[in-house]
Amino acid sequence: MARWVLPGAALGLGFALGSWRRREPEGLLARLPVVPAVAAAAAPSAPPPPGSPVRAELAKYGLPGLAQVRSRESYVLCYDPRARSALWVIEQLSPRGLSGASERDRCEFREDDSVHEYHRATNGDYRGSGFDRGHLAAAANHKWSQRAMQDTFYLSNVAPQNPHLNQHAWNNLEKYCRSLARSNKNVYVCTGPLFLPRMEADGKMYVKYQVIGKNNVAVPTHFFKVLILEKESGEIELRSYVMPNSPVDEKIPLERFLVPIESIERASGLLFVPNILKRTTNLKAITAGNKS
């Protein structure tokens, strides 16, 4: 029987992804006091260091790819063109943002035309696939603005998700995030897909995942959600969850899906703890053994 493996186990927080800058930040990026530094310059042909003519020559015809970051009204996203979905999405939740007159019925899933057509998902890819268009930044988190809610319906903020998971256990986790926003100063939520190795019958480890549609949209094996809670006391609390992309009994307590943050850092290629520790030493990681 195949067995999924989540590598690692220990503490960590913050996005270690380089030093990206925009002259005039828009959307959520303009408002976030704690925001990931993104790996790769925004300009497609960033100037080489002085005295390095060879590197300048290599960039003569541009570089074929750099980190693709989108700053939307309700979230910041780093796009993975190979998977046709996001590497991560970060959003800020607050009691004020959870209420408003925005209506989900007025929103429609749509292609992200800021992504090259070779690398983006379409609604047709999901049609008949058996998977839901699962939000990474949840629509219900952004009732404060119709535009903010609509922004969550870009297919770049969506990944193929098992319908039972999407509508039950994962939905419960999203609701829990909103409940935490009502009892904390600020809640930052980072969500993304995982593609975890598993042991096959031959005793070897493989990374295998399905793709759907003519654009080969990658179906994650798991999803993660990292919560950064700012307490009124000044303490930072960290909660990190992983769920398999398969039916999950919604009666299972959410605490059962808590994992050490290092597990997610190792599996995703992202870093959280080092950047958080640059801002505070008052950090508490909640795991299944010390949940509150």
Side-chain angles (χ1 to χ4, degrees), residues 23-53:
R23 290 185 179 178
E24 296 180 3
E26 298 175 354
L28 180 64
L29 191 57
R31 304 193 303 273
L32 280 175
V34 179
V35 69
V38 181
S45 55
S52 54

Side-chain angles (χ1 to χ4, degrees), residues 95-109:
R96 206 185 100 199
L98 297 178
S99 59
S102 299
E103 299 176 17
R104 186 184 177 104
D105 290 345
R106 293 173 55 193
C107 301
E108 294 182 353
F109 287 103

Side-chain angles (χ1 to χ4, degrees), residues 80-182:
D80 181 359
R82 294 173 301 176
R84 278 58 166 170
S85 185
L87 285 169
W88 52 259
V89 178
I90 188 169
E91 52 189 324
Q92 180 186 13
L93 307 187
S94 65
R96 206 185 100 199
L98 297 178
S99 59
S102 299
E103 299 176 17
R104 186 184 177 104
D105 290 345
R106 293 173 55 193
C107 301
E108 294 182 353
F109 287 103
R110 55 180 171 170
E111 296 178 34
D112 188 341
D113 56 12
S114 72
V115 175
H116 193 283
E117 62 180 334
Y118 290 173
H119 302 147
R120 68 187 186 222
T122 68
N123 283 307
D125 292 320
Y126 285 85
R127 196 169 297 120
S129 69
F131 290 95
D132 281 358
R133 291 166 291 192
H135 284 80
L136 299 175
N141 292 351
H142 303 286
K143 294 182 178 179
W144 58 279
S145 159
Q146 189 67 47
R147 176 183 170 185
M149 180 177 281
Q150 177 61 65
D151 278 358
T152 68
F153 282 78
Y154 280 113
L155 291 177
S156 51
N157 178 52
V158 162
Q161 195 165 45
N162 178 277
H164 189 280
L165 176 68
N166 183 36
Q167 297 162 30
H168 295 91
W170 188 257
N171 185 41
N172 289 343
L173 180 56
E174 291 176 335
K175 290 178 179 177
Y176 180 60
C177 293
R178 291 192 283 274
S179 73
L180 290 173
R182 296 184 177 96

